Amino acid sequence: MKLEIVWVIFRKEFLDVLRDRRTLISMILLPILLFPLLIGGLGSIMTGQMDKLESRSSPIILLGGELAGGLTACLQQDEGLQVITTIEDSAVASQMLEEHVVQAVVFIPDAFDITSTSDTDDRGSNQINIWYDKSHTESALTMRKVRDDISAYRDSLAQQELQVRGLPDYIVKPFLIETDNRASESKMAGAMLGMLLPYIVILLTVVGSTYSAIDLTAGEKERGTMETLLVCPASRLELVIGKFLTTATVGSITAILAVISMTITFMGPGSIMTHELGPDTSLSIDPLAFGMVFLLLLPIAALFAAVLIAIAINARSYKEAQSYSYPVVLATIVPAIASMMPGVEISAKMALIPVISVSLILRDAFVGTYEPMLIMLSFCSSIVYAAFAIFIAVRIFQKESVLLRI
Amino acid sequence: MININNLSKTFTDKKRGAIKAVDGITFTCRPHEVFGLLGPNGAGKTTTLRLLSTVLRPDGGEATVCGYDVVKYSSAVRKNIGFLSGDTGLYRRLTGREILRYFASLYGVKRSRFEEKLSEISEILELKEFLDTKTDKLSTGQKQRISIARTVIHNPPVLILDEPTAGLDIIASRAIIEFISRARNNGNTILFSTHVMREAERLCDRIGIIHEGKIKAQGTIDEIKAQFDSNDLEEIFLKALSVNATVNAD
């Protein structure tokens, strides 16, 4: 194999794919724009909608409010609620909730007795019901507002009673409960990135490589340029390696752009991470984790390129090659999703499974866990699989029936 | 120089079984000569030319191009031939210059030699006007001229042309015919296939009529006419197809 010839093929093929609009969209535009659009666009629309819902004054029905003393006034004080007390029939209230005319119904049963101060009274039967529709976001939000208001009212009643009896507050609250997240901001950011990043980046890499692989093989047959190429002195191995390197480069560029775009979207100024975890988060992700991403994505891009070329060369036309490569894209989704599954951990056996191993290692790298031996194992196994796929592709390139549609 | 001796190629088809596309053919094509391979569709013309251009491997017999065996020295054979067919496509996102530079590099033509050769070819084929335009913007004739330039950019002594005028209009065909005449005058060995009798009569020094993978008759046009006792090549062609035995006018 002459490297000079491989370089000539690579240079021409790369120039050719750079001028292909479809490849440019999937290689550059898609990975750059996907995350800002997904997170920025969709995310901000969702946040905006939630804010709007939370600030909106939601109508609720209070049934039997006169039995609960100051509760009606307490709920009415909440600007986020619009309390309707004129409905008395629980069936009507239930119907209105179902039709989303009101977002919640506070139902106080007839047996409810808030006035009794006797220690012997059975307070256990005192219960306030909140009816809501969990399938409806506004109703669920309203339920929380109502529950908080009622809890606050209940606490105030307890406090009053303690004062009357001359008892301290800690009688009802003997201790406080504080939750303390001991994960660092970096770890939190890493966990969030580590869950999503492997899946999306792996998927984008395979999608990015697909057009190039098809264009350089089935596309070449369809345009009638394949035979001309087979008649030139370049060997089949040189042709396959040149085409493989082009596709692997396209896949790697897609992956690198996706990682950069995702990081900026998640960690840049004004992003979700800095909003949730503080402005310094962007500084705290381990640069080694990013190094690892690039290192592991190269053999993955190589593997996809080799497999896609070996598959697409069998097709007679661009369209046929597209239908052949869809299963590859779909087959990639399942192992790529491994990073999102709880309890799936990297092990020596797992490190030998292509795509899954990379997906799991990337997830762990983002929370600062590295297993050098397993990383080496995954890296090497991906390269071996890629080399095997190239070997197959070269064999297919030597088949007369495949190349010339005989 | 092309030498073919008892060359065979069989394809296996799932439905039809074994098909002898080329069945023991023998002929020679010399420098300063145009040898025309005449035959109807499916006669074995393209397979023969593909065997010679090393895209396919023969099952039997032997063939040499410029003294190199097509199986043992396929790379040397490919360096010595220029191949063009009627359905040859071009990279549509590249310009003519980029395509020619690409193939020149693949054939190992040095950069300085390429520039020299390019200006010489552009002059003859009048490419200058559209050499830097992407080929998908070119007319069929212009594309064909780029294809011709691609065929000869490495100065091959042997030209193998598979129905080079198929599907072309009169103007584009004319460019090919002129190119073949010029190449013969330059001393090239030219093997070309066609089913257009007039083209064969006008261009070929010798012809071989091929049918069902076998050469039915071969020789100079005059020899063939004498053999079949007719002046009409079309009539000769039809007669040759119905002949069972091979007629060799050499």
Side-chain angles (χ1 to χ4, degrees):
Chain A
M1 184 175 73
K2 284 184 191 160
L3 288 178
E4 197 189 330
I5 295 291
V6 172
W7 171 242
V8 166
I9 296 166
F10 170 79
R11 217 174 39 191
K12 176 262 155 189
E13 301 291 24
F14 197 62
L15 176 69
D16 206 356
V17 295
L18 279 184
R19 288 183 186 166
D20 179 17
R21 209 177 296 157
R22 286 169 298 196
T23 309
L24 280 184
I25 289 171
S26 62
M27 177 175 82
I28 295 174
L29 275 185
L30 191 68
I32 290 180
L33 295 180
L34 183 70
F35 298 107
L37 286 179
L38 212 65
I39 307 300
L42 213 64
S44 71
I45 290 172
M46 272 181 66
T47 318
Q49 277 300 105
M50 287 299 276
D51 288 348
K52 213 165 140 189
L53 285 180
E54 275 173 5
S55 61
R56 188 189 286 177
S57 179
S58 309
I60 63 161
I61 292 173
L62 180 60
L63 290 171
E66 65 284 355
L67 299 170
L71 180 62
T72 312
C74 176
L75 289 171
Q76 279 168 339
Q77 271 170 14
D78 189 336
E79 286 178 0
L81 298 175
Q82 202 183 311
V83 186
I84 301 165
T85 52
T86 49
I87 310 281
E88 286 176 0
D89 188 342
S90 62
V92 175
S94 181
Q95 178 73 25
M96 286 172 79
L97 175 65
E98 212 170 291
E99 290 166 2
H100 300 139
V101 179
V102 293
Q103 301 303 331
V105 175
V106 180
F107 175 69
I108 301 168
D110 290 341
F112 191 85
D113 181 10
I114 204 165
T115 53
S116 171
T117 54
S118 165
D119 288 344
T120 56
D121 281 346
D122 181 11
R123 296 287 180 97
S125 63
N126 267 347
Q127 182 177 306
I128 293 177
N129 299 309
I130 308 169
W131 301 344
Y132 74 109
D133 179 351
K134 203 176 178 180
S135 67
H136 192 63
T137 315
E138 191 179 352
S139 179
L141 281 173
T142 309
M143 181 277 286
R144 261 186 267 162
K145 283 188 213 168
V146 173
R147 193 183 55 195
D148 291 350
D149 286 349
I150 297 176
S151 292
Y153 177 65
R154 186 180 59 184
D155 289 352
S156 74
L157 285 183
Q159 229 168 2
Q160 278 171 26
E161 194 148 332
L162 288 171
Q163 273 176 4
V164 169
R165 293 170 187 237
L167 295 168
D169 285 358
Y170 69 76
I171 294 281
V172 289
K173 275 187 189 165
F175 57 84
L176 297 173
I177 303 167
E178 275 296 323
T179 55
D180 185 9
N181 180 13
R182 300 310 296 264
S184 65
E185 285 174 353
S186 148
K187 208 170 175 181
M188 288 292 291
M192 197 162 161
L193 265 185
M195 284 276 279
L196 281 171
L197 189 133
Y199 167 68
I200 298 180
V201 170
I202 287 171
L203 199 63
L204 282 173
T205 309
V206 71
V207 170
S209 315
T210 307
Y211 279 118
S212 159
I214 294 175
D215 197 57
L216 302 187
T217 52
E220 187 122 36
K221 279 193 207 175
E222 198 172 86
R223 287 189 296 267
T225 48
M226 182 62 97
E227 194 166 359
T228 320
L229 201 56
L230 297 176
V231 174
C232 82
S235 70
R236 302 288 158 90
L237 179 66
E238 287 159 350
L239 290 176
V240 172
I241 298 287
K243 287 172 183 293
F244 155 75
L245 285 176
T246 310
T247 306
T249 305
V250 169
S252 303
I253 291 174
T254 312
I256 289 167
L257 287 177
V259 172
I260 292 172
S261 168
M262 189 165 179
T263 310
I264 293 171
T265 311
F266 270 76
M267 311 262 208
S271 69
I272 283 194
M273 281 291 188
T274 49
H275 180 70
E276 295 283 325
L277 301 169
D280 293 335
T281 316
S282 55
L283 303 172
S284 51
I285 274 275
D286 191 348
L288 197 61
F290 284 107
M292 194 80 69
V293 174
F294 296 129
L295 182 76
L296 285 171
L297 281 174
L298 296 182
I300 274 285
L303 179 60
F304 288 150
V307 170
L308 285 166
I309 281 184
I311 288 172
I313 188 65
N314 288 287
R316 286 156 196 254
S317 65
Y318 207 101
K319 272 191 177 171
E320 195 180 326
Q322 271 181 321
S323 48
Y324 285 174
S325 50
Y326 283 140
V328 179
V329 178
L330 290 176
T332 312
I333 295 174
V334 180
I337 230 164
S339 60
M340 293 186 179
M341 289 180 194
V344 181
E345 299 294 335
I346 184 83
S347 64
K349 273 185 192 167
M350 280 283 199
L352 295 175
I353 307 174
V355 189
I356 289 190
S357 61
V358 175
S359 181
L360 292 174
I361 288 172
L362 292 184
R363 182 189 70 183
D364 292 350
F366 275 95
V367 288
T369 313
Y370 306 100
E371 294 263 13
M373 281 308 289
L374 295 180
I375 291 167
M376 276 303 290
L377 203 58
S378 164
F379 186 84
C380 294
S381 67
S382 291
I383 286 180
V384 169
Y385 294 130
F388 182 68
I390 293 171
F391 171 74
I392 301 284
V394 174
R395 291 291 294 266
I396 295 172
F397 247 76
Q398 271 152 355
K399 275 191 175 178
E400 295 169 351
S401 55
V402 170
L403 290 174
L404 299 171
R405 308 186 202 177
I406 294 161
Chain B
M1 178 88 162
I2 299 170
N3 268 309
I4 295 183
N5 186 18
N6 206 20
L7 199 69
S8 302
K9 177 71 180 175
T10 306
F11 296 118
T12 316
D13 187 277
K14 276 179 192 165
K15 285 178 192 162
R16 293 182 292 170
I19 302 157
K20 279 206 160 182
V22 174
D23 191 3
I25 62 171
T26 300
F27 67 83
T28 303
C29 181
R30 307 177 190 100
H32 287 283
E33 184 180 70
V34 178
F35 187 94
L37 210 49
L38 259 75
N41 290 335
K45 302 188 296 286
T46 299
T47 305
T48 306
L49 301 192
R50 281 177 172 169
L51 289 169
L52 286 174
S53 60
T54 79
V55 176
L56 297 177
R57 280 173 76 96
D59 316 312
E62 54 190 34
T64 59
V65 174
C66 296
Y68 296 107
D69 186 275
V70 291
V71 177
K72 287 183 199 152
Y73 304 104
S74 57
S75 180
V77 168
R78 290 201 293 267
K79 270 186 192 159
N80 281 290
I81 58 173
F83 184 89
L84 179 69
S85 74
D87 55 7
T88 297
L90 292 171
Y91 297 106
R92 55 196 166 82
R93 294 187 290 265
L94 300 188
T95 65
R97 188 187 298 276
E98 285 163 347
I99 290 172
L100 295 175
R101 189 182 293 136
Y102 175 50
F103 279 97
S105 308
L106 289 177
Y107 280 98
V109 178
K110 295 267 179 289
R111 205 183 170 84
S112 56
R113 177 75 192 112
F114 164 71
E115 296 298 342
E116 220 173 87
K117 185 76 186 167
L118 182 63
S119 71
E120 183 191 317
I121 298 173
S122 322
E123 192 74 36
I124 298 168
L125 294 170
E126 296 170 16
L127 305 179
K128 270 182 192 161
E129 238 175 76
F130 53 87
L131 200 53
D132 292 305
T133 308
K134 282 184 193 160
T135 58
D136 63 349
K137 299 264 191 300
L138 302 182
S139 69
T140 315
Q142 289 170 327
K143 280 181 192 166
Q144 198 59 23
R145 279 191 270 165
I146 296 284
S147 284
I148 296 172
R150 197 260 311 142
T151 310
V152 294
I153 193 73
H154 55 295
N155 227 2
V158 174
L159 295 175
I160 297 177
L161 314 170
D162 186 13
E163 302 208 23
T165 55
L168 296 182
D169 60 23
I170 299 172
I171 298 169
S173 301
R174 200 190 181 92
I176 301 273
I177 306 283
E178 283 169 5
F179 154 69
I180 295 174
S181 303
R182 208 178 300 122
R184 175 180 37 204
N185 297 339
N186 289 341
N188 288 96
T189 303
I190 303 150
L191 172 60
F192 102 113
S193 72
T194 183
H195 57 256
V196 183
M197 297 304 133
R198 205 184 313 154
E199 252 178 37
E201 202 159 8
R202 184 174 162 195
L203 277 172
C204 298
D205 300 297
R206 288 191 308 127
I207 57 167
I209 298 176
I210 185 169
H211 184 48
E212 292 172 340
K214 289 188 169 80
I215 296 273
K216 298 287 186 181
Q218 65 172 308
T220 63
I221 303 274
D222 289 340
E223 284 167 347
I224 296 266
K225 282 179 177 172
Q227 282 284 331
F228 285 86
D229 197 21
S230 169
N231 262 334
D232 182 7
L233 206 57
E234 219 156 274
E235 194 187 339
I236 292 171
F237 182 70
L238 292 171
K239 272 186 184 171
L241 298 192
S242 59
V243 169
N244 283 328
T246 301
V247 177
N248 199 330
D250 268 352

